[in-house]
Amino acid sequence: MCDLNFFQSQIVHLLSNIFSLKTDISFKRINSLAIPALIAGIAEPFLSITDTAIVGNIEKNGIESLAAVGIVGAFISMLIWVFGQIRSAISSLISQYLGANKLEEIKTLPAQAIAMVVCGGIIVLMITYPFSKQIFGFYNASGDILDYCIEYYKIRIFGFPFSLFVFAVFGLFRGLQNTFYPMIIALCGASLNIGLDLAFVYGIDGLIPAMNIKGAAYASVISQIFMALLSIFFLRRKTSFSLKITRPFNKEISTLLGMVINLFIRTIALNLALYFATSHATNYGKEYIAAYTIGINLWLLGAFIIDGYSSAGNVLAGKLLGSKDYRGMLQLGKRLITYGLCTGLVLTVVGFLFYEPIGTVFIKDELVQQEFQNVFWIILIMQPLCAITFIFDAMFKGMGEMGFLRNILLFSTLVVFIPSLYVFDVFDCKLKGVWFTFLLWIIARGTPLIVKFRRKFLPLVEKG
C-alpha cells in the first residue's frame, strides 16, 4: 500500500510537471506586451517632441524658446528618471512574486512605495522652485534663454509629483504582465497635451491668448494631472491592489528601497552624462543647443520605441526568474535581441530616407538645420546598438540585478563618457564629438550585460 501511494504521488508529480503552465515567450505573447509598451513609451518623448516642434515655430525668439525647452526638458527628464526608478523596482518584485505564485504576500507594497515617491516629488518641487535661476545657470544658460528656462520650469515642475505617481502605477501594471492600460493612459495624456499645446502656445482668436512658452508648460502640467487621475481609475477598476496605506511595512519594503537606491545612483550617473552633453552643447552657442535639443528628443524617441521590447523583457524576465525557468530566460534573450535589432534597423533606414525633411519639422532656421544634419547620421547608426543595450538593461532590472546595473552606469559614465567628451572637445568636434561620445557610452553599457547574461544562465541550463 505504501509503494502504491508512492507510485501514485510520482505519477501526479510527473503529470504536474508536464502540464504545468510555463511562462509564454512566444512571438505573439512578447508582442502583446511589447506593442502596448512601445506605444505608451513613445508618449513621453512624443510630448517633448511636440513641445519642441510647436515652441520652435514661435515667431518671436523661437530659437531661444526651443533652447530653453531643451535645457529644462533635460533637467526634468533627469528628475523623472532618478525618482521614477520606482517603476522598475515595483515591476521587478511583482513579476517575480507572480512567477512564484505568491502575489498575496506583497499586496500592501505598491501603496507604500507610491506614497514615498510622491512625497519625494513634492520635496523636489519645493527645493528646486526657488533656485531655478541657479540650476539653469549651471547649464550655461544666460540672457533670454535663461529667462525662458525659469519661466517654463516654474510652471512645468508642478506636474512632477503627478508624473512620479503615474510611473509607479505603470510599474505595478507591468509587474502584472499588463502593458495595455498604461498604453491607454499614455495615449490619452499625449492627445490632450498636443491639443492644449496648440491652443495655449499659439492661442485661439477671441478665446485663448497666445501664451508662447508658458502655454507649453501649462499644457504639460494639465496632461500629467489628467494621466494621474486615469491611473487611479484603472488601478481601482482593473486590479485587486489598493492605494490605501497600511501598517506595518511590507516585508519587501527594504528590498524595494535597496533597488531604488541602486537605481537612484545609476540614474544620477546616467543624467550626469546628459548634463555634460547638454552643458557642452549650450556652451557652443544657441544654434548648437537648438540642434542638440532636436537630436536628443529624436534619440529618446528611438529609445522609447525600442523600449517596447525592453518592457516585455523586463516583465517576462522577472516572471521567468521567479519560476526558475532558466532555459526560457535564454530563449527570451535570443528572441528579444532579434526583434530589437530589427526595430533598430528599421529606425535607421527610416531616418536616412527622411534625413533632410525631419529637421524642418522642428525649426526653419538654416543654421540650426545645418548643425542638426551634420550629426543626425550618428544618432541613426546608434539605433541597433541601443536596441541591444536597452533590452538587456531592462531584463536585468526585471531580475532585480540593480547593483550590477549601477556599477555598469558608473563605469560607462565616469570612465568612458566624460573623458571622451572632453577629448572630442579638445579637437573641436563640437556636436559630432557629443554624439560620438554617446555612441561609445552605449557600447560600454551593453557589452558587460551580454557577457554576464550568458555566464549566468548557460551554466544553469546545462545543470538543469
Side-chain angles (χ1 to χ4, degrees):
M1 189 66 172
C2 182
D3 290 340
L4 181 59
N5 287 338
F6 175 78
F7 179 73
Q8 287 174 336
S9 67
Q10 292 301 303
I11 291 293
V12 170
H13 179 70
L14 178 63
L15 289 173
S16 66
N17 284 335
I18 293 173
F19 294 106
S20 62
L21 292 175
K22 296 285 185 181
T23 301
D24 185 1
I25 56 170
S26 64
F27 177 81
K28 181 179 179 181
R29 176 55 179 159
I30 289 173
N31 280 283
S32 71
L33 292 169
I35 292 173
L38 182 155
I39 295 170
I42 290 174
E44 177 60 30
F46 192 70
L47 293 182
S48 297
I49 284 175
T50 301
D51 283 353
T52 302
I54 292 174
V55 170
N57 284 288
I58 293 173
E59 291 184 4
K60 182 181 178 181
N61 295 334
I63 296 176
E64 289 81 1
S65 297
L66 178 59
V69 168
I71 294 167
V72 174
F75 181 68
I76 289 182
S77 293
M78 178 201 73
L79 293 176
I80 289 175
W81 289 346
V82 167
F83 288 89
Q85 294 304 320
I86 193 76
R87 177 180 69 177
S88 297
I90 291 174
S91 174
S92 175
L93 284 171
I94 290 179
S95 60
Q96 288 181 41
Y97 270 78
L98 181 66
N101 199 26
K102 297 178 180 179
L103 204 57
E104 282 293 326
E105 295 182 17
I106 55 166
K107 274 292 183 70
T108 59
L109 181 67
Q112 295 168 357
I114 289 171
M116 287 180 184
V117 75
V118 171
C119 288
I122 294 170
I123 292 170
V124 168
L125 188 160
M126 294 171 64
I127 292 173
T128 60
Y129 185 90
F131 297 104
S132 54
K133 183 177 181 179
Q134 290 79 3
I135 290 168
F136 299 112
F138 192 60
Y139 278 81
N140 292 326
S142 60
D144 288 338
I145 293 177
L146 179 58
D147 292 339
Y148 282 132
C149 284
I150 297 168
E151 186 176 61
Y152 184 66
Y153 181 76
K154 284 193 170 182
I155 299 169
R156 191 170 171 189
I157 188 59
F158 282 94
F160 180 62
F162 297 98
S163 289
L164 294 183
F165 177 85
V166 172
F167 263 60
V169 173
F170 280 14
L172 191 156
F173 275 111
R174 283 189 180 189
L176 294 172
Q177 320 287 286
N178 187 318
T179 56
F180 178 76
Y181 294 116
M183 177 192 72
I184 297 297
I185 295 166
L187 281 177
C188 291
S191 300
L192 178 63
N193 190 84
I194 293 169
L196 293 177
D197 255 340
L198 292 169
F200 291 172
V201 174
Y202 301 138
I204 300 175
D205 288 340
L207 188 61
I208 300 174
M211 290 183 273
N212 297 320
I213 195 171
K214 280 186 176 181
Y218 283 122
S220 294
V221 173
I222 293 170
S223 300
Q224 287 160 344
I225 294 171
F226 176 68
M227 289 172 68
L229 293 173
L230 274 182
S231 298
I232 294 171
F233 173 80
F234 283 115
L235 182 68
R236 296 186 63 170
R237 287 294 185 91
K238 303 299 180 181
T239 78
S240 58
F241 287 88
S242 170
L243 289 174
K244 183 179 179 181
I245 303 168
T246 58
R247 296 290 303 273
F249 283 119
N250 189 275
K251 65 177 183 177
E252 289 287 8
I253 198 73
S254 59
T255 304
L256 181 129
L257 289 175
M259 288 182 177
V260 170
I261 290 169
N262 281 325
L263 289 171
F264 182 88
I265 297 169
R266 171 186 183 273
T267 311
I268 287 176
L270 186 153
N271 284 285
L272 188 64
L274 291 177
Y275 160 72
F276 273 96
T278 304
S279 179
H280 273 69
T282 304
N283 203 40
Y284 296 142
K286 65 180 184 180
E287 288 82 13
Y288 290 95
I289 182 57
Y292 171 80
T293 297
I294 298 170
I296 197 68
N297 277 292
L298 289 172
W299 183 74
L300 290 171
L301 177 63
F304 277 94
I305 289 174
I306 294 165
D307 189 58
Y309 287 110
S310 301
S311 298
N314 178 274
V315 299
L316 290 172
K319 191 176 180 185
L320 287 165
L321 186 67
S323 59
K324 298 182 180 180
D325 185 358
Y326 305 126
R327 188 175 299 276
M329 187 78 80
L330 278 176
Q331 291 174 349
L332 176 67
K334 291 177 183 177
R335 290 177 185 180
L336 286 175
I337 284 181
T338 302
Y339 305 154
L341 277 175
C342 290
T343 305
L345 288 171
V346 168
L347 291 174
T348 302
V349 171
V350 170
F352 277 114
L353 286 175
F354 298 96
Y355 197 89
E356 291 190 9
I358 286 174
T360 62
V361 172
F362 299 96
I363 197 165
K364 300 297 186 287
D365 186 89
E366 290 184 5
L367 288 175
V368 176
Q369 286 187 42
Q370 182 182 339
E371 293 302 332
F372 169 69
Q373 290 178 8
N374 284 341
V375 298
F376 188 35
W377 64 273
I378 307 172
I379 299 170
L380 293 177
I381 65 172
M382 288 171 60
Q383 296 307 309
L385 296 173
C386 289
I388 296 173
T389 298
F390 297 154
I391 283 171
F392 274 95
D393 187 272
M395 290 183 69
F396 273 89
K397 282 182 183 177
M399 293 184 285
E401 295 268 4
M402 312 309 187
F404 180 65
L405 292 174
R406 175 202 63 205
N407 293 339
I408 292 293
L409 247 298
L410 287 171
F411 171 81
S412 58
T413 298
L414 300 177
V415 179
V416 177
F417 191 95
I418 295 175
S420 298
L421 192 63
Y422 279 98
V423 169
F424 284 121
D425 187 57
V426 167
F427 288 97
D428 200 31
C429 295
K430 292 189 167 62
L431 278 192
K432 283 185 180 178
V434 172
W435 286 108
F436 277 130
T437 300
F438 271 111
L439 176 60
L440 295 174
W441 186 59
I442 287 294
I443 294 170
R445 287 177 57 187
T447 304
L449 295 174
I450 297 170
V451 171
K452 177 159 184 177
F453 183 80
R454 292 181 63 82
R455 285 182 177 175
K456 180 177 177 119
F457 291 105
L458 278 174
L460 289 173
V461 169
E462 290 169 1
K463 283 182 183 178

